[in-house]
């Protein structure tokens, strides 16, 4: 089973540990953080998703979220 909607690193790991799901999906969080695995690995700050820029046709789109800088 794949669980989705509203998970972050901590809540996703907890869900896996409880055996509720085998996989956790991070749809919106991944759109706002194209390097999400690296951010999770480094406990780095996350970009806040802005739904007004997602799936739209304006000049600002979800592809414009910044990557993690070291």
């Amino acid at each position: 089973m794949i669980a989705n909607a509203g998970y972050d690193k901590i809540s996703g790991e907890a869900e896996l540990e409880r055996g509720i799901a085998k996989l956790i999906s991070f749809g919106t969080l991944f759109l706002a953080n194209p390097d999400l695995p690296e951010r999770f690995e480094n406990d780095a700050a996350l970009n806040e998703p802005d739904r007004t820029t997602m799936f739209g046709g304006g000049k600002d789109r979800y592809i414009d979220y910044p990557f993690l800088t070291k």
Side-chain angles (χ1 to χ4, degrees), residues 27-38:
T28 302
L29 197 56
F30 223 124
L31 288 176
N33 296 277
D35 51 359
L36 188 62
E38 183 179 0

Side-chain angles (χ1 to χ4, degrees):
M1 172 179 288
I2 301 172
N4 188 347
Y7 289 101
D8 60 16
K9 179 183 177 183
I10 294 169
S11 62
E13 287 177 348
E15 201 81 339
L16 293 173
E17 288 175 12
R18 284 194 296 267
I20 303 298
K22 297 283 185 188
L23 296 168
I24 303 295
S25 170
F26 299 98
T28 302
L29 197 56
F30 223 124
L31 288 176
N33 296 277
D35 51 359
L36 188 62
E38 183 179 0
R39 288 175 187 261
F40 278 179
E41 184 177 321
N42 294 302
D43 292 321
L46 300 176
N47 295 321
E48 190 66 33
D50 178 0
R51 289 187 174 273
T52 65
T53 65
M54 294 181 181
F55 317 111
K59 70 176 185 73
D60 294 320
R61 294 174 298 284
Y62 64 82
I63 60 170
D64 295 323
Y65 284 97
F67 281 82
L68 183 63
T69 56
K70 296 179 183 179

